Amino acid sequence: MTWREYHESTKHSVESLRRSLHALDWANMPDPFRHYEGVPVLDLPADPPAPETPVFEVLNGASGSTSAGDGPTFLSQLLFYSGAISASKRVQSTGDRYALRVNPSSGNLHPTEFHFLARGLTDWPDGLYHYIPSAHMAEQRALGDLEMKLTGSSAPIVFVLTSIAWREAWKYRDRAYRYCLHDIGHAWQALALAANAIGCDSFAVGHFPDDEVAEFCRFNEDEWPMLIVEVRGASIPLREPDARETVWYGGRANQLSEETIAYPAIDGIHNATKLSNRACRGISAAEPAPTGSGEITLPPPASSRSSFGEVVRMRRSALDFRGGTQSMSLTQLSAILAATARPLLADFASARFIQLYLYVHRVDGLQPGVYRHWSERGELERIGSGDQRVAAAGLSLGQDLAGNACVAFSMIGDLERATRAHGDRGYRYVHFEVGAIGHRLYLSAEMLGFGATGIGAFYDEEVHRYLNLAPDRGQVVYHFAIGYPVSDPRLEA
Ligand SMILES: Cc1cc2nc3c(=O)[nH]c(=O)nc-3n(C[C@H](O)[C@H](O)[C@H](O)COP(=O)(O)O)c2cc1C
């Protein structure tokens, strides 16, 4: 299996959907919460302080501050604003509730788990931890000095984000691996921005030896390490690291469902995108992204004073948008696009692989049409004109929300350039980048009073045809919509 074979075989088409008669087996739905049973569980203090810095500033590279004066409060704050439960929904027919989190996830299935190494935090033992969002607590899987030698990282907090692909495959089958990668991109950006909001820097490492990291962290075999995120900064309450020997508790991973169904295509793409220890010596630089220009220069962006803490905990995916005539201003669109163009701090992100195409439905000062965003110059190039509502919804597998939004997006990934530089591993990096961009779209939309929804379901080749994209210009890897959200009767605070 190569990235190309996997990608081709997981494209949606009218025909592929007609052929696939997949019924969800609710009795076998995977548990959305992983536990490592039999290990000490440490409390993260409830109600950590809310980061007050405006999210607009954080999205534009400013660093905030924290009043957290000890390790547990600091960790609690970082996780409460990146991966915690933030709301619930009630199924109207049964009354059952389910949880929603700060980080979004396709189908709300949450394949991503947050693990972290802590070294030298005050009042918090050095060791390896697994975050349990259901209780906002941390399972202590190992105690002692566990410096992440595999990546050469000596940061005081090092996250290892893992994917449990079965959680996603239960619903989305072979295409699920794509969504696992998107979700990692969202979780990475949720962590990176929360770290910035409380006065830290972060750096993501995608280029690491998979099996060695999995072994080092003693992950259960269904959890795959996908991204390492180092967090450092003067605001972290620190002491000298422990010198004591490592004590392993490990823990027994809970079984997520009665039966785990094998998806050979997912195992195949995962193995194809793995790196061995030998392959990890230095990451090569990718060719730079092509540059271009458009006839519309975006105006200075609209601003917002909404605090990071408030926006992050309020963020939700819109069920649909109110169509009608209410529009978005060009300065608001400018702010949303500017937030996607900021540097992403990762070993694979020095050259960017994603370009945004916009289906503009209702933006003041822009004719309805299709536009290409040239992020370096802050310009839009019109490549198609006329009403795009039916096309945007149709291309998004007939989902009305892409037509009722003010603006919808096709995000085009340069998979060829990424894999020329990084081999099959580049397939992951394109999806991490697009997930990170998606996360920035969610937060910038929310801060301006809009709603947003990530859209993983689209007719791949139809999008390429509609946008007149030659294969060497990239392939669609994510859709997105932003507009005025309808209220969601299932939502509870
Ligand atoms: C990668 C990805 C793909 C998604 N695809 C769709 C989609 O095709 N249609 C849709 O209505 N929502 C989609 N969503 C939104 C999720 O359903 C939503 O994030 C999830 O239900 C959790 O809700 P929340 O975002 O409010 O926390 C997607 C989200 C992500 C992160």
Side-chain angles (χ1 to χ4, degrees):
M1 170 76 64
T2 61
W3 75 265
R4 206 183 295 281
E5 287 162 352
Y6 172 78
H7 198 68
E8 284 302 319
S9 70
T10 54
K11 285 181 173 170
H12 279 323
S13 66
V14 174
E15 190 44 41
S16 73
L17 290 181
R18 195 174 310 128
R19 272 199 315 267
S20 109
L21 293 167
H22 182 51
L24 292 181
D25 179 0
W26 290 100
N28 198 40
M29 182 182 174
D31 188 336
F33 298 109
R34 155 97 333 140
H35 295 285
Y36 280 90
E37 285 152 10
V39 303
V41 180
L42 273 65
D43 243 337
L44 291 164
D47 296 326
E52 296 294 343
T53 309
V55 70
F56 176 81
E57 292 177 17
V58 177
L59 285 167
N60 286 293
S63 193
S65 60
T66 178
S67 58
D70 56 63
T73 310
F74 185 88
L75 286 170
S76 173
Q77 191 182 27
L78 183 57
L79 285 157
F80 196 71
Y81 290 94
S82 59
I85 288 174
S86 54
S88 62
K89 278 188 184 172
R90 187 194 282 267
V91 182
Q92 282 168 318
S93 52
T94 61
D96 290 344
R97 282 206 182 89
Y98 56 94
L100 302 167
R101 307 188 198 178
V102 168
N103 53 318
S105 169
S106 27
N108 198 35
L109 295 167
H110 289 283
T112 308
E113 295 289 329
F114 290 58
H115 298 259
F116 61 93
L117 291 161
R119 282 183 86 232
L121 270 64
T122 62
D123 307 319
W124 186 269
D126 291 1
L128 173 67
Y129 296 85
H130 168 239
Y131 177 57
I132 30 177
S134 53
H136 192 55
M137 289 177 167
E139 290 168 338
Q140 187 178 56
R141 303 196 54 240
L143 186 61
D145 187 7
L146 275 148
E147 194 182 345
M148 185 59 131
K149 297 200 177 68
L150 292 166
T151 60
S153 175
S154 58
I157 308 172
V158 180
F159 281 88
V160 184
L161 301 178
T162 65
S163 288
I164 303 179
W166 159 240
R167 279 213 190 107
E168 203 67 23
W170 168 76
K171 180 168 183 186
Y172 297 113
R173 306 208 281 173
D174 286 345
R175 195 170 161 105
Y177 193 75
R178 298 193 191 192
Y179 301 155
C180 290
L181 300 179
H182 289 117
D183 281 20
I184 290 282
H186 278 282
W188 160 36
Q189 214 41 208
L191 257 179
L193 292 169
N196 291 158
I198 57 176
C200 292
D201 294 323
S202 73
F203 189 78
V205 178
H207 218 69
F208 59 81
D210 297 64
D211 290 345
E212 282 80 352
V213 169
E215 210 173 295
F216 176 83
C217 298
R218 303 193 192 183
F219 292 136
N220 195 50
E221 60 186 13
D222 62 359
E223 274 191 57
W224 299 336
M226 292 292 206
L227 194 64
I228 295 172
V229 184
E230 305 165 350
V231 179
R232 22 169 90 77
S235 61
I236 305 176
L238 288 179
R239 55 166 170 76
E240 277 300 304
D242 288 344
R244 69 172 119 165
E245 284 283 290
T246 309
V247 180
W248 270 96
Y249 304 117
R252 272 183 327 280
N254 60 333
Q255 189 179 338
L256 299 179
S257 47
E258 196 89 339
E259 188 193 0
T260 301
I261 294 162
Y263 285 90
I266 292 182
D267 294 336
I269 179 67
H270 187 60
N271 286 329
T273 58
K274 270 184 175 182
L275 290 178
S276 67
N277 213 341
R278 203 156 38 86
C280 270
R281 292 200 198 103
I283 179 166
S284 31
E287 304 144 52
T291 49
S293 61
E295 63 279 21
I296 298 151
T297 302
L298 288 159
S303 185
S304 157
R305 296 302 302 162
S306 301
S307 76
F308 183 83
E310 184 191 343
V311 167
V312 158
R313 301 275 315 169
M314 290 297 289
R315 182 211 65 78
R316 287 276 67 85
S317 292
L319 186 61
D320 197 353
F321 300 98
R322 301 198 304 265
T325 55
Q326 213 176 355
S327 56
M328 172 186 285
S329 72
L330 195 54
T331 57
Q332 287 172 324
L333 180 64
S334 175
I336 289 167
L337 291 173
T340 67
R342 298 287 311 174
L344 296 173
L345 300 176
D347 59 352
F348 55 84
S350 53
R352 300 282 287 262
F353 301 117
I354 301 295
Q355 185 167 35
L356 303 190
Y357 284 61
L358 287 72
Y359 304 87
V360 169
H361 305 322
R362 294 186 315 284
V363 177
D364 299 338
L366 283 185
Q367 293 294 321
V370 182
Y371 295 80
R372 182 156 50 199
H373 180 223
W374 291 104
S375 58
E376 278 196 358
R377 301 171 69 108
E379 291 175 355
L380 291 176
E381 175 191 0
R382 184 149 69 145
I383 57 168
S385 48
D387 189 340
Q388 303 298 321
R389 290 175 295 184
V390 172
L395 293 170
S396 307
L397 240 66
Q399 298 186 77
D400 294 340
L401 77 177
N404 287 328
C406 294
V407 56
F409 298 83
S410 281
M411 305 198 215
I412 305 301
D414 196 338
L415 293 164
E416 301 291 342
R417 187 162 49 86
T419 51
R420 262 198 309 278
H422 306 305
D424 287 297
R425 185 72 152 203
Y427 190 69
R428 293 192 191 177
Y429 300 157
V430 170
H431 287 84
F432 294 162
E433 180 184 331
V434 88
I437 289 175
H439 204 70
R440 290 177 154 264
L441 286 175
Y442 265 116
L443 296 188
S444 49
E446 190 82 35
M447 82 179 174
L448 295 169
F450 296 103
T453 305
I455 302 175
F458 41 79
Y459 291 117
D460 300 69
E461 288 301 343
E462 294 293 328
V463 173
H464 302 156
R465 267 194 288 280
Y466 192 73
L467 297 178
N468 206 10
L469 273 180
D472 63 346
R473 281 221 77 126
Q475 302 206 40
V476 57
V477 285
Y478 202 11
H479 269 194
F480 213 87
I482 298 179
Y484 292 93
V486 298
S487 64
D488 187 339
R490 302 165 304 173
L491 193 60
E492 299 179 326

